[in-house]
Amino acid sequence: MPLDQTMIYLLPYHNLTLSFLSFQIPDKQYVLTALAARAKLRAWHDVDALFTTKNWLGYTKKKAPIGFHRVVEILQRNNAPVQILQEYVRLVEDVETKLNLAMKHKCHDVVIDTYKDLKDRLQLMAYRCKVDRGSPAEEKIDSILSNPQIRWKN
């Protein structure tokens, strides 16, 4: 049995990080396999622990050797809740990719916050038409658009 299949079989039931390190598996391959296994079990806390790192001062940071856009796609295939998807979509560095993923997976808060950070009033107004009337997303957009402290680019 190939090592990949063995990992997929064992990872959902055991935390074998140290055991697989002795096989010199590339970090990307381990993360992809472990993510798929944990997401399949809907073990979101384990997924979070997979990407959380600490620096020498004790601060935690999320880091993915495979890129967070791939993490989002794998989580979505395993029917992750919107809150989990939003958390990882926010970590995508490229703004266009972040917006595309957020719109694709209906992560309204991420789209709204990104347009706010870009100070793009026109895009925010256009996105307001795409959300449900009376929804919390529409209320958030309205409060942002009516905020006089934001200096819009357009």
Side-chain angles (χ1 to χ4, degrees), residues 79-91:
N79 300 319
V82 174
Q83 295 84 4
I84 301 291
L85 286 175
Q86 284 188 84
E87 180 181 344
Y88 289 99
V89 169
R90 285 184 205 280
L91 296 172

Side-chain angles (χ1 to χ4, degrees), residues 92-136:
V92 174
E93 290 184 19
D94 181 50
V95 176
E96 285 184 38
T97 306
K98 181 191 298 187
L99 282 170
N100 289 336
L101 283 171
M103 287 182 194
K104 180 179 175 183
H105 302 302
K106 296 186 184 344
C107 299
H108 299 302
D109 286 343
V110 178
V111 175
I112 294 166
D113 291 340
T114 304
Y115 283 143
K116 178 185 170 194
D117 293 342
L118 293 172
K119 299 182 186 326
D120 194 338
R121 183 180 183 90
L122 296 177
Q123 289 290 355
L124 193 58
M125 290 171 65
Y127 191 71
R128 185 179 183 272
C129 298
K130 296 178 183 176
V131 298
D132 296 331
R133 290 235 176 255
S135 67

